[in-house]
Amino acid sequence: MNFRFRRRLLPAVVTGLLVLITGTKANAAPSAADFVRNLGNQLVTIVNNDSPTAQKKEQILPILQKGVDVDAIGRFCLGRYWRVATPDEQAEYLALFHKVLVNSITSKLGDYRGVSFTIGTTTQRGDDEAVAATLKRPQQPDTTMQWIVSTESGSPKIVDVIGEGASLRLTQRQDYASYISRNGGKVANLIEALKRQISRNSN
Amino acid sequence: MTASTRQITISEPDARMQQVRQPRKAGFVKFLTGCGLLALSACATTPKPTDPEALAEYNEANDPYQSLNRKMYNLSFTVDKYTMKPVAKAYVWAVPRLARQSLGNMVRTMNEPIVFFNDVGAGKSRLAGDTFARWVINMSVGIGGLIDVAKMAGYPHHDNDAGITLATWGVKSGPYLFLPMMGPSSIRDGIGYGIDVGLSPWNYVPRGYGLLTFNWAYNITGIINGRADHLDDLEQLERDALDPYATIRSAYQQQRKALAESIKNDHRATTPDWY
């Protein structure tokens, strides 16, 4: 009797444990996806409204600052030149980088109405999680990308976007590195170029 | 560049690939590639930096022929500005999106045999099966490839070419190249392009006035359609990149690496799920 009871109990315990383990995993995965969905919904709501682009940029900035680790991305993009930059240059560069990022996102989306997106699967990528998302814009082919979510700073934040296998922050870093090395090896020259770029793209 | 955009310019070589169909032209391309490689070997490379961090950056870029590549890049974009770009803009303005999408589907379907041979070459029978199913379904039910029925039936398109097949065999990319009017490449991918031209069955079909006319119409449409798909990407690049040449190089190298990895890591069983 006792043996039979054990025979029944053991599978039940194992099944229970399995449910617990898979349940925990299942709960962990959606959190990154939910975070991206939430952030994406906020951005899409702004993009799809009828306000002028300048106003959209103002509305998008706080959302990005909350959901995207802009400083970490900025530091990554400056690569080895981050260490040679003076504290003033670092601060100025980061301030400009925030604007560059907002400009880049609004210029990608700003002119469209009827933008929408769908969230796909979440996969582990090193310490971070990659959430697949497909962006749909009218009159344009769908764009599939992965949003890399890191919880290193304590709360989930976007640290990179992978589009068709290319990391945006790595591509940006090589762009900046190449620009600096071809322009005297000075961060100050990059800062001037970013200023010119921002004023050109703001018009 | 479509969903399969080897992004920015990366799928541009694909579009351009449609340009060359006849064996005589294929021979000419191989001759040109040979001349290009000869010129490269004779041309001065960018000197290696001595600082360890700068050297790491130099190695990461993998672009010893940078000065020649930049010249080719500038030439290509100048020519594009006055030729392909305005044509592509006019095409987008004149042709409705649905029609453009259908033509894009057709060009892609016509290119599927090359993908198939490369799937086989990479030893990925399941991928080859998917591509074969795509080709059969789209050429028949999809009305000569105009409608991507195969995608709806669970056989989405995947990119593959001889450069990628060589990569799955362990062949290194070799230095980065920017080929005039064809876009970013590498020694390996340039050789792969020549192989793909040879693999395309359209080069071996019997000749006739009708077929020749179709070939030209199809090639020209493919090129214009491919360029039109990248109008936004390239304009965005001009706006956002401080050094667009380096940005294209980085994106291309990463995407090629990711594509080779995705083909290499496709370990699905040979038989489909329903079997």
Side-chain angles (χ1 to χ4, degrees):
Chain A
M1 186 70 177
N2 194 9
F3 177 66
R4 205 183 271 173
F5 176 71
R6 266 195 215 161
R7 264 206 323 197
R8 280 180 191 167
L9 184 67
L10 196 65
V13 170
V14 171
T15 316
L17 276 175
L18 277 176
V19 166
L20 206 66
I21 292 165
T22 49
T24 321
K25 269 192 179 166
N27 283 339
S31 72
D34 285 346
F35 168 72
V36 173
R37 186 177 291 115
N38 214 341
L39 187 77
N41 278 335
Q42 291 179 53
L43 288 177
V44 163
T45 310
I46 295 172
V47 166
N48 285 343
N49 73 29
D50 290 330
S51 3
T53 309
Q55 205 176 323
K56 281 184 186 177
K57 278 185 192 175
E58 278 172 27
Q59 292 169 329
I60 282 177
L61 191 61
I63 295 172
L64 286 188
Q65 277 166 344
K66 200 174 161 216
V68 181
D69 202 342
V70 184
D71 286 356
I73 299 173
R75 280 195 299 274
F76 179 90
C77 290
L78 202 52
R80 68 190 175 102
Y81 294 103
W82 177 259
R83 285 193 303 279
V84 297
T86 64
D88 283 348
E89 282 176 338
Q90 289 179 349
E92 193 176 7
Y93 161 77
L94 280 183
L96 291 170
F97 189 78
H98 278 251
K99 287 184 187 164
V100 167
L101 204 65
V102 174
N103 272 348
S104 166
I105 289 175
T106 44
S107 71
K108 273 193 186 84
L109 302 171
D111 299 336
Y112 296 106
R113 300 283 182 280
V115 172
S116 65
F117 72 99
T118 51
I119 297 284
T121 52
T122 304
T123 47
Q124 199 69 31
R125 195 184 165 96
D127 292 337
D128 305 329
E129 284 180 286
V131 181
T134 305
L135 182 71
K136 294 170 191 294
R137 295 170 300 177
Q139 297 295 310
Q140 288 292 317
D142 293 350
T143 312
T144 304
M145 53 195 149
Q146 285 182 307
W147 297 78
I148 310 300
V149 181
S150 164
T151 47
E152 207 174 283
S153 63
S155 57
K157 284 197 168 176
I158 307 281
V159 290
D160 196 8
V161 178
I162 314 277
E164 309 285 346
S167 144
L168 279 191
R169 66 175 179 180
L170 185 56
T171 311
Q172 189 79 73
R173 179 161 83 174
Q174 296 189 346
D175 178 31
Y176 287 176
S178 180
Y179 185 85
I180 295 173
S181 70
R182 290 170 62 81
N183 287 277
K186 287 184 181 146
V187 177
N189 291 336
L190 175 80
I191 289 175
E192 286 310 310
L194 289 177
K195 281 181 187 165
R196 284 197 299 275
Q197 186 191 40
I198 290 166
S199 72
R200 189 179 64 231
N201 290 349
S202 305
N203 296 331
Chain B
M1 257 148 308
T2 77
S4 62
T5 333
R6 276 192 249 134
Q7 210 154 332
I8 312 179
T9 48
I10 289 161
S11 57
E12 212 153 321
D14 274 351
R16 310 277 197 245
M17 191 184 294
Q18 318 303 332
Q19 214 166 356
V20 188
R21 291 292 175 199
Q22 290 106 36
R24 205 187 301 163
K25 277 193 186 168
F28 182 62
V29 167
K30 280 174 195 160
F31 171 73
L32 271 187
T33 314
C35 289
L37 292 177
L38 205 67
L40 266 181
S41 61
C43 108
T45 56
T46 313
K48 278 190 183 184
T50 45
D51 173 63
E53 282 188 319
L55 182 65
E57 210 170 85
Y58 174 90
N59 289 335
E60 192 180 16
N62 189 19
D63 191 7
Y65 305 117
Q66 186 168 168
S67 61
L68 176 68
N69 281 338
R70 279 190 186 268
K71 284 187 187 101
M72 294 302 123
Y73 169 88
N74 291 334
L75 172 76
S76 305
F77 271 78
T78 310
V79 173
D80 176 81
K81 191 178 168 187
Y82 297 106
T83 55
M84 288 312 298
K85 194 176 172 183
V87 171
K89 278 193 164 177
Y91 169 75
V92 169
W93 176 80
V95 183
R97 179 161 186 254
L98 201 64
R100 279 185 277 135
Q101 207 171 14
S102 300
L103 289 170
N105 287 339
M106 188 193 76
V107 169
R108 183 184 265 181
T109 302
M110 296 284 177
N111 194 47
E112 264 348 328
I114 298 178
V115 177
F116 171 78
F117 290 130
N118 282 302
D119 290 340
V120 173
K124 298 295 176 186
S125 44
R126 180 69 180 271
L127 280 175
D130 285 355
T131 310
F132 185 74
R134 272 186 64 75
W135 194 76
V136 170
I137 295 171
N138 283 351
M139 284 300 276
S140 52
V141 191
I143 318 169
L146 287 171
I147 309 165
D148 194 351
V149 186
K151 189 179 174 186
M152 301 171 215
Y155 298 102
H157 169 80
H158 64 269
D159 279 325
N160 201 355
D161 55 64
I164 294 298
T165 302
L166 291 173
T168 61
W169 292 354
V171 177
K172 300 262 180 263
S173 74
Y176 175 76
L177 299 178
F178 195 97
L179 302 177
M181 317 322 298
M182 282 168 57
S185 190
S186 65
I187 300 275
R188 181 194 65 207
D189 294 344
I191 292 169
Y193 172 72
I195 297 173
D196 284 335
V197 171
L199 284 177
S200 176
W202 309 112
N203 289 333
Y204 305 102
V205 291
R207 290 304 149 81
Y209 183 74
L211 267 174
L212 273 180
T213 313
F214 173 77
N215 244 351
W216 277 106
Y218 159 71
N219 290 335
I220 292 168
T221 311
I223 294 163
I224 297 174
N225 205 58
R227 179 65 184 86
D229 275 349
H230 301 124
L231 274 174
D232 271 20
D233 289 338
L234 289 174
E235 271 177 15
Q236 177 100 34
L237 183 80
E238 280 168 23
R239 261 201 313 265
D240 288 352
L242 295 181
D243 185 351
Y245 169 84
T247 304
I248 290 178
R249 181 181 64 200
S250 172
Y252 176 76
Q253 289 172 333
Q254 290 181 62
Q255 285 164 355
R256 293 298 282 172
K257 204 172 158 202
L259 181 58
E261 286 296 313
S262 78
I263 299 277
K264 213 187 288 182
N265 294 330
D266 189 300
H267 298 304
R268 291 174 302 155
T270 302
T271 47
D273 301 334
W274 49 263
Y275 187 70

